[in-house]
Structures are given as structure tokens and as C-alpha cells.
């Protein structure tokens, strides 16, 4: 098995495209295709592995304990689909891209490609592979970058759902431009209260929402509030978003917020789609435990690049 992946001459992107179309044809013949975006660290050491770097280990780290690890960073795209016969959501990977460290690019005199830049390349690629289908990409706060969200908003049938900071600067849409007005057009309107203020405001209208699969723990009821706004930061492009503020009546978790670049989606759609992404961590752990992703005998860049994504 490892010999074939290591030494065969093949086109990985062609294989990824065929795999994605097969997954969509079998599991999602119609409707919205929900795709998860997440990165993982393959813990590896060795002088022959040139693309490795020092990263935070998401598996062993916590909010109170920080663990650094040497390895390779991979960015994975997975189809997130509930399977009736499994009674849960499965994260089915079809495209995995290596994201080398900044030091790797510096040694070769090339410009460093950040994680969000790699994500934009993958989003455009999936959009070309599935023309005519509505795509929703769900990701964690690492991808809540205005540059990325602004680019995705230009795609006709793609959107991103990710986390939003409670202290994010939100504004009204810019007012209509009057004829013969001098100067550049306005990017935003009046400043709105932050989501922290909305959370503390007693006049905020909350709606009870039932999520059938809450992080693998069965159905759960939460309270949500939503609206549309323009998210803007100085020097960054403004992005129109729909924000969803979430709080737990049982107070088991702290209030949090999500955003969607598609203003037409409702909280009843946004929240269940975003919750699906937790199964990506399950897939990463199963790859380590059962496929031996970090215990392969390949110790050079070309062999690892062919073996690990597969």
C-alpha cells in the first residue's frame, strides 16, 4: 500500500476531483454541499523533512496549557454529511494540501502563503469542480479574516460560516451615494453596538432554537439572536455578514457568535451546519490511530506529499 502511494506517478488533483464528485453523487445528489475546512499537524522529525515547522499542538494544548510540536501542517477539505445508517455526521476528506512554514519559503526566496491564502485557493478549486451547486464552507476562527471573507463573497454560489469575535466592529451599510458627490464612496455607515453590548442589552429579542446533533451529544436547545451588518476594520475590506449570537440557557458554555457571508441563510441553517465541523477532529484522530499517519516510514518530502493526503 505505501509502495504504491510512494512511487506511483499520478495526478493528485485529478484524484481529488473524482473523489469529490463521487461523494456528492452518492450522498448529496441535491441541495447545499457543506464542506469543512480545518488544519492539522502531522508530528514528524527528521533532517530530510524540509517543510516542517514549529506549531501549537491542537491535540495536546488547552486554554491553560500550551504545547509546541515539530511537524507538518496540512489543510484539509472534507464533505460534512449526516448519514442515516450511521446516525451521525461523517467528515469525508477529499482534498489535503501541505502548508509549509514561513521559514521554508524564506529559504527558497519565495513569498510565504498563509493559511487563509491556501484556503482561498481550495475554495476556488472546489467551486470549479462543482459548478451549479451551492457551497457552504465551515471553519473555525483561524479563517475569520476579512480578506478571505471578501474574496469568497465575490463567488456567486459559495459562502463561509465561521466564528465572530464578540468585540468585532459592526456598522450599518453605507448610505446611497448622492449624485455629484465628491470624493471616494463610503465603505460603511453608522457604528453599531458590539455583540457584547447586544448580549448585555435586556431589550435583545432571543429565539429558542433546537439543534438535533449538538457536538455528538444529541438534541439541545439554545437561544439565538441575529441580524445583518457590515464588518469593517481599518485597512481591510468591508464585508456584509449575517451574525448569529448564541447563548446557553443552562450556562454550560460561554456565549459565542457566528457569521455567514450569505445574508439569506437563517440561524436554523447556520448553526446546524457549523456544528457539523466537530467531526473533522474525529477524522483527524482516526487517521492517526488507525491509519498510522504519523508512523509511516517515508522520511523525504516527495514520499510524504504522496502518502499523507491519501
Amino acid at each position: 500500500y505505501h509502495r504504491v502511494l510512494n512511487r506511483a506517478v499520478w495526478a493528485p488533483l485529478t484524484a481529488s476531483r473524482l473523489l469529490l464528485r463521487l461523494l456528492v453523487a452518492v450522498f448529496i445528489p441535491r441541495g447545499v454541499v457543506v464542506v469543512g475546512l480545518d488544519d492539522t499537524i502531522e508530528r514528524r522529525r527528521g533532517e530530510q523533512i524540509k517543510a516542517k515547522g514549529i506549531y501549537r499542538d491542537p491535540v495536546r494544548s488547552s486554554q491553560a496549557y500550551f504545547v509546541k510540536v515539530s511537524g507538518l501542517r496540512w489543510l484539509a477539505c472534507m464533505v460534512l454529511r449526516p448519514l442515516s445508517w450511521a446516525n451521525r455526521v461523517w467528515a469525508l476528506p477529499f482534498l489535503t494540501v501541505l502548508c509549509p512554514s514561513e521559514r521554508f519559503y524564506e529559504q527558497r526566496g519565495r513569498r510565504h502563503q498563509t493559511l487563509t491564502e491556501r484556503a482561498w485557493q481550495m475554495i476556488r478549486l472546489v467551486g470549479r469542480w462543482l459548478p451549479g451547486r451551492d457551497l457552504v464552507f465551515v471553519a473555525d476562527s483561524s479563517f475569520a479574516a476579512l480578506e478571505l471573507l471578501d474574496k469568497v463573497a465575490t463567488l456567486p454560489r459559495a459562502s463561509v460560516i465561521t466564528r465572530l469575535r464578540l468585540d468585532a466592529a459592526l456598522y450599518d451599510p453605507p448610505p446611497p451615494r448622492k449624485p455629484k458627490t465628491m470624493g471616494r464612496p463610503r465603505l460603511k455607515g453608522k457604528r453599531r453596538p458590539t455583540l457584547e453590548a447586544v448580549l448585555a442589552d435586556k431589550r435583545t429579542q432571543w429565539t429558542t432554537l433546537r439543534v438535533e446533533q449538538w457536538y455528538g451529544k444529541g438534541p439541545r436547545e439554545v437561544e439565538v439572536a441575529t441580524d445583518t451588518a457590515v464588518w469593517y476594520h481599518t485597512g481591510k475590506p468591508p464585508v456584509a455578514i449575517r451574525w448569529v449570537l448564541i447563548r446557553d440557557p443552562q450556562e454550560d458554555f460561554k456565549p459565542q457568535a457566528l457569521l455567514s457571508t450569505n445574508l439569506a441563510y437563517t440561524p436554523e441553517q447556520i448553526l446546524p451546519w457549523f456544528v457539523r465541523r466537530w467531526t473533522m477532529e474525529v477524522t483527524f484522530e482516526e487517521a492517526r490511530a488507525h491509519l498510522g499517519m504519523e508512523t509511516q516510514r517515508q522520511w523525504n518530502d516527495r514520499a510524504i506529499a504522496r502518502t499523507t493526503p491519501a
Side-chain angles (χ1 to χ4, degrees):
Y1 167 73
H2 289 301
R3 271 180 190 270
V4 172
L5 296 177
N6 183 2
R7 301 177 183 177
V9 178
W10 59 342
L13 284 181
T14 302
S16 297
R17 176 174 56 83
L18 294 174
L19 177 58
L20 172 62
R21 290 183 175 179
L22 286 172
L23 292 174
V24 170
V26 172
F27 296 117
I28 321 173
R30 63 187 64 86
V32 177
V33 180
V34 182
V35 179
L37 271 175
D38 201 2
D39 63 299
T40 186
I41 306 299
E42 181 184 7
R43 296 184 286 267
R44 280 188 173 275
R45 295 178 180 271
E47 295 181 358
Q48 299 297 325
I49 305 176
K50 301 180 181 61
K52 68 179 184 298
I54 303 297
Y55 306 100
R56 174 185 177 273
D57 190 348
V59 177
R60 299 173 180 172
S61 300
S62 63
Q63 293 183 352
Y65 193 66
F66 185 85
V67 178
K68 293 190 296 183
V69 64
S70 172
L72 302 171
R73 171 181 278 182
W74 298 91
L75 181 59
C77 264
M78 304 189 191
V79 172
L80 306 179
R81 177 63 178 173
L83 302 181
S84 58
W85 48 269
N87 197 28
R88 59 178 288 250
V89 175
W90 273 21
L92 306 170
F94 62 89
L95 177 61
T96 306
V97 175
L98 180 63
C99 299
S101 64
E102 187 173 356
R103 178 183 175 186
F104 174 85
Y105 285 103
E106 289 179 354
Q107 292 175 345
R108 285 152 182 79
R110 297 170 53 190
R111 186 183 64 85
H112 174 57
Q113 289 187 316
T114 63
L115 198 64
T116 54
E117 289 175 333
R118 285 289 193 184
W120 168 237
Q121 294 172 0
M122 299 173 75
I123 290 173
R124 286 192 302 170
L125 194 62
V126 176
R128 290 199 299 266
W129 287 348
L130 295 178
R133 297 297 298 268
D134 292 330
L135 302 173
V136 174
F137 294 87
V138 296
D140 61 12
S141 56
S142 302
F143 302 89
L146 285 170
E147 296 89 345
L148 175 62
L149 300 179
D150 178 62
K151 292 177 181 178
V152 176
T154 62
L155 300 179
R157 310 198 70 159
S159 61
V160 171
I161 297 175
T162 183
R163 294 188 184 275
L164 177 65
R165 293 171 56 100
L166 295 180
D167 58 352
L170 302 178
Y171 299 84
D172 287 334
R177 186 176 175 86
K178 297 181 180 179
K180 301 182 180 180
T181 302
M182 303 294 292
R184 294 178 298 176
R186 296 185 60 179
L187 300 178
K188 55 184 176 56
K190 184 180 177 181
R191 176 71 183 265
R192 291 189 180 183
T194 63
L195 296 185
E196 292 175 335
V198 174
L199 184 65
D201 192 348
K202 296 182 179 180
R203 296 172 297 178
T204 303
Q205 296 182 355
W206 296 92
T207 303
T208 301
L209 177 62
R210 178 184 172 91
V211 182
E212 294 300 329
Q213 292 290 339
W214 182 262
Y215 293 98
K217 298 180 181 179
R220 187 187 186 97
E221 289 188 349
V222 296
E223 294 179 340
V224 299
T226 184
D227 199 358
T228 59
V230 173
W231 184 19
Y232 176 75
H233 190 276
T234 304
K236 307 290 183 180
V239 179
I241 62 170
R242 171 170 291 281
W243 56 263
V244 179
L245 190 59
I246 309 162
R247 72 178 184 182
D248 182 19
Q250 304 175 10
E251 298 184 353
D252 289 339
F253 62 86
K254 295 181 180 180
Q256 54 187 282
L258 305 177
L259 69 87
S260 171
T261 56
N262 189 326
L263 308 185
Y265 289 147
T266 63
E268 290 79 8
Q269 296 172 304
I270 295 173
L271 190 52
W273 284 341
F274 182 79
V275 170
R276 292 185 188 183
R277 64 168 296 275
W278 78 272
T279 55
M280 300 186 69
E281 299 297 336
V282 179
T283 298
F284 287 142
E285 180 57 29
E286 289 178 346
R288 293 186 179 94
H290 302 294
L291 298 183
M293 188 178 74
E294 297 174 340
T295 60
Q296 299 164 2
R297 292 178 295 173
Q298 284 76 22
W299 293 102
N300 64 78
D301 295 329
R302 185 175 182 180
I304 292 173
R306 288 191 180 278
T307 307
T308 301

